[in-house]
Amino acid sequence: MQSTTHIKGTERPTLEFPPEVTEAVTEIIGSVRRDGDEAVAELTQRFDGVERDAIRVSAAEIAAAADALAADEREAIEGTIANVREFHEHQREHLEGFEREFRPGIRMGQRVIPVDSAGVYVPGGRYPLVASPAMTILPAVVAGVERIVACAPPQADGTIQPAQLYAMDRAGADEIYAIGGAQAIAAMAYGTESVAPVNVVTGPGNMYTTEAKRQVFGHVGVDFLAGPTEVLIIADETADPALVATDLLAQAEHDTESRVVLIATDQTLAEETIEEVAAQLETLPTEETARIAWADNGEVILVADRSTAVEVANEYAMEHLQVMSDEPRAYMDGLVNYGSLFLGHHSPVVFGDKAVGTNHSLPTLEVARYNGGIWCGTYLKTLTHQQATADGAATIAPHAATICEIEGTHAHQLSAEARMKSNASSDDD
């Protein structure tokens, strides 16, 4: 890597949880598998301080949530849902099956079909994220999943936060349950008396939720494992330091563990951004959280040029990657490790998080090196098939039989040799 200077630095985190978290989640999952609804009720009372008559949210609760929102709030949620739907419908249109004859008598192809059922987790926490239901539920709807289950933690009064509940319903969830944390993941993965199990579990959450997804993986599919939110901003001399600082703090306010990184190609820009962050923190309503995140997890890296900025960004492989430059697309081809890319001074992460239509459920902690975020493909299976005529089989059989002989897989070899041309007695057409 070319020369870089850490004006402000911190240790790089990893997706490793304390042993006590792993042990606690193992106990929770075991309890739900063993005792079903009874365990869910007990865990909800223990962790949320809530007792409900039924864990499934009723139609009356959904209607009450809609009534609790102002018209402009419902309009904003509906607008985000429409944008997310439109983007993911275009995604789906570009995922196609095929079938063709690759050689005489040999046809092969693939089908792209949805899983039967999916469970999505909608987190509560410090800020109940209203856009999350659109990001996790709508891709499953567009993919064609027949049954979509959604879980979210209850508030102190036992209900799900109204805006979240309204969004979950309008996005297309078939069943909604007031269950939070690791117990929600366990209920969706293994089922209870009230919750039939699903095939895939998705959605963001805290370390307990993420560890639960790790533990149920294999029994069900999961999207990916993620930690606290991240943003990395590449900025050059054309960027406004005040705007860069604003966008850094927009992610810092999420959580004290949020990671915010600036890669600057200009020293003046780097120094003025640090000053702006300090100044803006003084009046930020969420200053307490953002200040800790910036102090503990903020980085400012000065690099010599564009190519070094790209190299460092790819090494960090962060969730949100924002390029604040008059020529952002000059960086684009070289950038390959990120969850979602935001190009230019007027494409802040908040648009992707809340309203524009791309998905905000994205990989963190360098998972972007090998995986993207939630998309229609998260809920799809690509299944291959083949069909051979007798003549077509005769062209493949000798090669297959020889490979089997090399391996010593003798029953396989007999199966291949049974299709040799000399043994073929009928045409499969």
Side-chain angles (χ1 to χ4, degrees):
M1 181 179 294
Q2 300 182 44
S3 176
T4 62
T5 302
H6 274 71
I7 298 177
K8 181 184 185 306
T10 184
E11 292 186 8
R12 303 267 287 277
T14 61
L15 193 60
E16 296 179 3
F17 301 135
E20 57 268 26
V21 172
T22 299
E23 292 168 7
V25 169
T26 300
E27 180 183 341
I28 290 168
I29 291 175
S31 177
V32 173
R33 293 187 71 178
R34 182 178 62 252
D35 298 323
D37 282 355
E38 181 182 346
V40 170
E42 188 277 323
L43 292 163
T44 300
Q45 199 283 325
R46 186 199 312 176
F47 295 122
D48 301 305
V50 167
E51 293 185 18
R52 287 178 54 96
D53 293 333
I55 56 177
R56 183 164 180 174
V57 175
S58 67
E61 289 179 277
I62 294 171
D67 291 341
L69 300 178
D72 62 332
E73 292 174 326
R74 291 194 298 270
E75 182 181 356
I77 292 170
E78 295 283 359
T80 291
I81 287 173
N83 291 343
V84 173
R85 182 186 298 277
E86 182 178 16
F87 181 82
H88 288 79
E89 283 175 345
H90 279 280
Q91 266 190 347
R92 183 65 184 92
E93 289 171 6
H94 289 81
L95 298 170
E96 299 179 352
F98 67 87
E99 180 176 302
R100 62 178 286 248
E101 188 172 53
F102 283 78
R103 57 187 62 83
I106 301 291
R107 297 191 66 81
M108 293 183 286
Q110 69 177 29
R111 294 187 299 148
V112 181
I113 63 175
V115 297
D116 291 333
S117 57
V120 303
Y121 185 72
V122 178
R126 183 177 281 106
Y127 309 111
L129 300 179
V130 176
S132 282
M135 306 297 176
T136 48
I137 295 169
L138 269 169
V141 171
V142 173
V145 177
E146 184 174 336
R147 172 176 168 261
I148 302 170
V149 174
C151 288
Q155 302 179 111
D157 65 358
T159 66
I160 293 174
Q161 199 275 343
Q164 280 194 325
L165 181 52
Y166 180 76
M168 293 161 78
D169 178 61
R170 299 299 294 166
D174 299 302
E175 305 164 25
I176 302 174
Y177 297 89
I179 315 174
Q183 59 269 30
I185 305 302
M188 291 188 287
Y190 294 105
T192 72
E193 294 89 341
S194 297
V195 187
V198 299
N199 301 129
V200 173
V201 174
T202 69
N206 63 18
M207 69 173 71
Y208 290 90
T209 306
T210 302
E211 175 60 24
K213 287 167 66 177
R214 190 204 307 270
Q215 292 192 25
V216 302
F217 176 67
H219 181 76
V220 294
V222 302
D223 45 2
F224 49 83
L225 304 179
T229 192
E230 308 170 330
V231 64
L232 187 151
I233 297 178
I234 298 174
D236 63 18
E237 70 282 355
T238 68
D240 178 353
L243 207 55
V244 175
T246 297
D247 291 349
L248 288 169
L249 290 174
Q251 293 305 114
E253 77 170 358
H254 266 287
D255 190 278
T256 56
E257 299 299 318
S258 298
R259 291 182 68 202
V260 287
V261 177
L262 169 63
I263 299 175
T265 61
D266 179 80
Q267 184 166 353
T268 300
L269 180 279
E271 293 171 349
E272 290 182 356
T273 298
I274 293 174
E275 294 172 1
E276 278 289 339
V277 168
Q280 292 182 28
L281 277 170
E282 294 300 319
T283 58
L284 188 67
T286 51
E287 174 267 341
E288 183 177 359
T289 300
R291 186 179 295 278
I292 295 172
W294 174 247
D296 292 351
N297 308 306
E299 294 184 58
V300 177
I301 305 168
L302 181 64
V303 298
D305 50 36
R306 179 186 300 162
S307 64
T308 309
V310 168
E311 189 176 357
V312 175
N314 283 333
E315 180 197 351
Y316 273 57
M318 291 181 74
E319 178 185 17
H320 304 101
L321 176 54
Q322 192 170 338
V323 181
M324 302 186 74
S325 168
D326 284 351
E327 299 180 334
R329 287 186 175 270
Y331 294 79
M332 187 173 180
D333 286 347
L335 295 170
V336 294
N337 294 337
Y338 56 82
S340 194
L341 180 61
F342 302 80
L343 296 167
H345 304 297
H346 307 296
S347 304
V349 170
V350 63
F351 288 174
D353 271 356
K354 310 300 181 186
V356 74
T358 54
N359 208 292
H360 82 190
S361 293
L362 303 168
T364 65
L365 297 174
E366 302 181 16
V367 170
R369 292 178 183 273
Y370 58 84
N371 203 13
I374 287 180
W375 64 305
C376 283
T378 303
Y379 303 99
L380 295 169
K381 302 181 291 185
T382 301
L383 310 177
T384 61
H385 61 271
Q386 54 255 260
Q387 181 176 10
T389 64
D391 287 342
T395 67
I396 298 296
H399 301 296
T402 298
I403 290 173
C404 294
E405 186 175 9
I406 294 169
E407 295 173 342
T409 50
H410 300 299
H412 282 70
Q413 182 178 348
L414 292 173
S415 178
E417 289 175 345
R419 273 74 180 185
M420 296 289 198
K421 191 172 180 63
S422 59
N423 294 330
S425 59
S426 65
D427 193 291
D428 293 332
D429 278 343

